[in-house]
């Protein structure tokens, strides 16, 4: 660069068109050319080239993408492709051995071995996530590649890592097969994803809340607010209700509630097991279509125009909260 300036030559790229290239992996899910990958692999791409281990190349088109789950479906013009067998990702257990397949750093097809370190992770990179954590090495270029069990069956799609160096440090994440394929069905059929919603703002249940409601331990999620003109309001849900299960599936945190509801069919009626006034009861809710103005996420994820307190939800103190924290009635404030 110094000599370029000395001879009055333009810097590299100055005055020239710059072409950026990215690299990722994919999973063939049908013999006629449908391929599953990450949205961030193909996002904003003007051209997508799919290259197989045999060196054969195809130009792909995007069938649909779903940024809130980081799932994308692309298609190449091919027939008779070998496809991967699917496995029930809900059957995974912590400690199961898995293999991550992909093209790390562009060196070529690579397989790494590890275990399932955790399930149901949410690391804040996606609006809807129920990630598999693994210590199988996942590096740049692995995104969109297959995470398989020891039978070679697909259990997840490599999606992200947590790293201080940019390389693998044993904390990688994959989107479970069951979630990814549910999104694929919608993308293949409609080119987009329609999501169901309740219309509540949930928050975790801590020990103080569990004690206040007479629960043996913290479980479920607390409804801090029921929004107007929503399926939740129509079903009679109230502020202060605690949702324990949805159709019998235990709900452990707000992220899990959001995932379960969003992956349900619009118009489906679900049974919520709730705690109200210290007693358990069941409430049937007919799920509605998540309004497009919410940007594909539930109300609890909409940022304020002023982002100073981005992610913070507050309400005025009421008698329930005063009793919970033993506050005198003259104390006013928000929580």
């Amino acid at each position: 660069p110094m000599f370029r300036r000395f001879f009055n030559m333009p810097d590299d790229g100055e005055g020239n068109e710059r072409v950026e290239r990215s690299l990722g992996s994919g999973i063939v899910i049908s013999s006629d050319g449908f391929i599953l990958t990450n949205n961030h692999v193909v996002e904003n791409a003007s051209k997508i080239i799919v290259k197989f281990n045999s060196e054969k190349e195809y130009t792909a088109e995007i069938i649909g993408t779903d940024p809130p789950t980081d799932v994308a479906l692309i298609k190449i013009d091919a027939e008779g492709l070998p496809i991967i067998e699917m496995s029930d990702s809900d059957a995974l257990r912590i400690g199961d051995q898995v293999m991550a397949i992909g093209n790390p750093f562009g060196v070529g097809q690579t397989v790494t071995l590890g275990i399932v370190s955790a399930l149901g992770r949410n690391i804040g990179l996606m609006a809807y996530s129920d990630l598999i954590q693994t210590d199988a090495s996942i590096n740049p270029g692995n995104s969109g590649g297959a995470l398989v069990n020891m039978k070679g069956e697909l259990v997840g799609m490599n999606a992200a890592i947590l790293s201080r160096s940019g390389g693998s440090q044993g904390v990688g994440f994959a989107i479970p097969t069951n979630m990814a394929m549910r999104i694929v069905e919608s993308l293949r059929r409609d080119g987009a994803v329609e999501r169901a919603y309740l219309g509540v703002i949930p928050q975790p249940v801590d020990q103080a809340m569990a004690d206040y409601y007479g629960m043996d331990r913290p479980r479920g999620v607390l409804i801090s607010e029921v929004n107007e003109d929503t399926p939740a309001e129509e079903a009679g849900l109230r502020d202060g209700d605690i949702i324990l299960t949805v159709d019998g599936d235990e709900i452990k945190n707000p992220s899990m509630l959001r995932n379960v509801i969003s992956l349900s069919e619009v118009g489906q009626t679900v049974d919520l097991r709730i705690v109200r006034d210290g007693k358990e009861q069941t409430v049937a809710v007919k799920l509605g279509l998540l309004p497009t103005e919410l940007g594909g996420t539930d109300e609890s994820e909409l940022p304020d125009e002023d982002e100073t307190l981005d992610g913070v939800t507050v309400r005025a103190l009421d008698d329930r909260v005063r009793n919970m924290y033993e506050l005198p009635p003259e104390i006013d404030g928000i929580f």
Side-chain angles (χ1 to χ4, degrees), residues 42 49 56 69 233 319:
V42 300
I49 300 296
K56 187 171 179 61
T69 57
E233 184 185 52
D319 292 336

Side-chain angles (χ1 to χ4, degrees), residues 226-245:
V226 176
N227 292 288
E228 296 181 356
D229 301 322
T230 62
E233 184 185 52
E234 292 177 6
L237 290 175
R238 305 175 188 171
D239 298 359
D241 287 347
I242 293 179
I243 301 175
L244 301 177
T245 66

Side-chain angles (χ1 to χ4, degrees), residues 146-159:
L147 186 74
V148 303
N149 60 22
M150 300 310 290
K151 297 179 181 179
E153 300 166 335
L154 185 70
V155 295
M157 176 174 61
N158 306 324

Side-chain angles (χ1 to χ4, degrees), residues 177-187 189 193-196 262-266:
T177 302
N178 291 1
M179 172 178 278
M181 295 310 295
R182 163 68 177 83
I183 300 300
V184 163
E185 289 174 10
S186 295
L187 293 178
R189 182 181 63 244
V193 178
E194 289 188 342
R195 287 190 164 83
S262 70
L263 292 177
S264 301
E265 295 292 334
V266 175

Side-chain angles (χ1 to χ4, degrees), residues 260-300:
V260 169
I261 295 299
S262 70
L263 292 177
S264 301
E265 295 292 334
V266 175
Q268 176 183 345
T269 298
V270 296
D271 290 329
L272 305 185
R273 191 68 178 170
I274 68 169
V275 174
R276 178 183 294 168
D277 299 328
K279 298 179 180 179
E280 291 191 17
Q281 57 181 281
T282 299
V283 176
V285 183
K286 184 177 181 180
L287 302 177
L289 174 64
L290 182 64
T292 55
E293 61 266 23
L294 297 183
T297 59
D298 209 345
E299 298 89 338
S300 58

Side-chain angles (χ1 to χ4, degrees), residues 8-81:
N8 199 29
M9 296 173 64
D11 290 335
D12 283 340
E14 192 172 298
N16 299 321
E17 180 182 359
R18 179 174 178 177
V19 178
E20 293 188 4
R21 294 179 174 85
S22 64
L23 185 69
S25 303
I27 306 163
V28 178
I29 58 172
S30 72
S31 61
D32 57 348
F34 283 95
I35 297 174
L36 173 66
T37 188
N38 284 136
N39 173 68
H40 74 260
V41 171
V42 300
E43 191 173 26
N44 300 323
S46 58
K47 186 176 183 180
I48 301 170
I49 300 296
V50 173
K51 186 175 182 179
F52 284 85
N53 205 34
S54 63
E55 303 298 320
K56 187 171 179 61
E57 293 186 358
Y58 297 86
T59 299
E61 63 171 323
I62 296 177
I63 301 301
T65 64
D66 186 50
T69 57
D70 198 22
V71 171
L73 182 65
I74 63 176
K75 175 77 165 60
I76 61 175
D77 186 11
E79 296 290 340
L81 297 175

Side-chain angles (χ1 to χ4, degrees), residues 102-158:
N103 185 13
F105 301 108
V107 300
Q109 183 168 303
T110 302
V111 180
T112 57
L113 177 67
I115 64 168
V116 174
S117 305
L119 297 168
R121 291 294 200 211
N122 182 357
I123 57 174
L125 289 179
M126 308 156 198
Y128 299 90
S129 59
D130 182 25
L131 301 174
I132 302 165
Q133 181 181 328
T134 178
D135 65 349
S137 291
I138 296 176
N139 287 288
N142 274 107
S143 292
L147 186 74
V148 303
N149 60 22
M150 300 310 290
K151 297 179 181 179
E153 300 166 335
L154 185 70
V155 295
M157 176 174 61
N158 306 324

